Amino acid sequence: MQPLIDTELWLAHKRRALARPVEGADFLMRRAAEDLADRLAAVERRFGKAAALFCQTSAAADVLAASGKVGEIVRVEMDEALLAGGPGLVAPPETVPFEDGSLDLVVSLLSLHAMNDIPGVLAQIRRALKPDGLFLGALAGAGTLAELRESMLTAEIELYGGASPRILPFTDVRDAGALLQRAGLALPVADVETATARYDTLFDLVADLRAMGETSALVDRSRRPGSRRLFARAAEIYAERFSDPDGRIRASFSIVWMSGWAPDNSQQKPLKPGSAKVSLKAILENPPKGWLRL
């Protein structure tokens, strides 16, 4: 399979961001961690062993520990630097370093969108889970940075008569659900949370992306550095099309959440077609007492 993402470059961006921290630039990770805490709170069970898989910071592991629902927590990162001196494992990208059926819970925050083989990673997660084990994951989804994509594309076509890919193609929420099913996870659910950040200019947004380690890592990215003229024109287009009355610009971030369970006989199963005792037609023609007939 032709790789879409230069994983080594993505990691280099993460290491650079870690070496030059910018206060507040982790707002998406903090938002994802808060959402993880809410979703975990809705699950009424305890987990013996959990993996925080490629979560880039300790935020996910901290949420698992604070929940009081997890016995053992193992952090796994693609680079030693991302562990920041804390305990954990280092594993190659797109590798789940656990034996089959050894985990009760796997969580992953904001890294799956940088994987070239998402179906393969999900299949490995499925195998690592015990029967009735849970996977919870969040990744950047379709609509993320749509304003920046449009502004850069328009400016590049206008100035050079053509455009190069500069922003990742993000996964749609419907495709995320299909990926869970393809991996063999039961009771798959995918939904999307949208966050909007505001900046003074496009350049402030790009500075935040650099501080997150999320600048372009596409294999087919343009090797020609963006000119001042290109970014200046893109900033003008961005301000013209996506600014609020106070002059600040909007940047959209979509976080697609995925959840699924390793199959187990104890789980609910859909009824077989034709097994219903009463037809929908009969109910609609003779609704039970108290129903509102339209």
Side-chain angles (χ1 to χ4, degrees):
M1 182 179 67
Q2 177 65 33
L4 179 68
I5 297 155
D6 184 339
T7 309
E8 286 304 315
L9 180 60
W10 185 80
L11 274 173
H13 290 168
K14 293 294 177 181
R15 287 192 292 266
R16 181 182 65 185
L18 192 65
R20 305 171 186 172
V22 176
E23 185 177 358
D26 63 342
F27 67 93
L28 283 179
M29 182 60 73
R30 286 187 281 108
R31 166 74 178 265
E34 290 169 3
D35 287 347
L36 173 63
D38 292 341
R39 290 165 188 269
L40 197 58
V43 181
E44 296 182 356
R45 60 173 291 181
R46 286 188 53 81
F47 302 93
K49 183 176 181 179
L53 184 67
F54 306 138
C55 294
Q56 306 172 51
T57 75
S58 66
D62 293 342
V63 166
L64 297 182
S67 73
K69 295 184 174 184
V70 183
E72 180 185 358
I73 303 165
V74 181
R75 278 190 66 194
V76 181
E77 298 294 353
M78 300 182 211
D79 192 279
E80 187 76 35
L82 296 174
L83 290 171
L89 304 176
V90 176
E94 305 186 18
T95 302
V96 180
F98 296 96
E99 294 182 359
D100 291 359
S102 61
L103 299 173
D104 300 284
L105 172 66
V106 175
V107 300
S108 181
L109 297 186
L110 302 183
S111 63
L112 284 173
H113 59 266
M115 306 290 180
N116 284 298
D117 184 15
I118 298 176
V121 175
L122 292 177
Q124 291 180 68
I125 290 171
R126 153 71 185 86
R127 290 195 294 270
L129 286 169
K130 295 178 182 178
D132 207 31
L134 174 63
F135 166 65
L136 285 171
L139 68 160
T144 295
L145 299 175
E147 303 90 349
L148 180 61
R149 187 192 303 273
E150 180 178 328
S151 300
M152 292 296 296
L153 180 67
T154 303
E156 199 161 12
I157 291 174
E158 181 182 307
L159 295 177
Y160 304 125
S164 319
R166 294 182 180 274
I167 298 174
L168 293 180
F170 296 111
T171 303
D172 182 87
V173 66
R174 289 167 294 187
D175 294 334
L179 288 170
L180 290 167
Q181 291 181 312
R182 179 177 171 181
L185 289 160
L187 308 175
V189 175
D191 62 272
V192 62
E193 299 278 348
T194 301
T196 302
R198 301 202 316 141
Y199 295 91
D200 290 334
T201 69
L202 173 149
F203 300 101
D204 298 294
L205 166 59
V206 171
D208 246 11
L209 294 175
R210 187 173 290 111
M212 295 177 195
E214 288 292 349
T215 47
S216 180
L218 288 167
V219 169
D220 290 334
R221 67 194 180 279
S222 173
R223 266 39 178 195
R224 180 180 62 187
S227 65
R228 280 178 170 269
R229 185 181 173 209
L230 171 62
F231 281 99
R233 181 59 186 135
E236 291 173 352
I237 294 168
Y238 206 131
E240 290 166 4
R241 299 185 182 183
F242 305 110
S243 62
D244 289 329
D246 62 1
R248 304 192 79 201
I249 60 171
R250 302 181 301 277
S252 298
F253 298 91
S254 295
I255 301 176
V256 172
W257 277 93
M258 311 166 73
S259 69
W261 299 79
D264 184 71
N265 290 332
S266 65
Q267 294 164 352
Q268 289 182 320
K269 303 292 190 301
L271 294 174
K272 295 180 179 179
S275 62
K277 303 299 183 183
V278 181
S279 71
L280 178 61
K281 179 181 178 182
I283 293 176
L284 294 176
E285 290 177 349
N286 298 285
K289 186 177 180 181
W291 277 37
L292 177 64
R293 186 188 294 273
L294 301 178

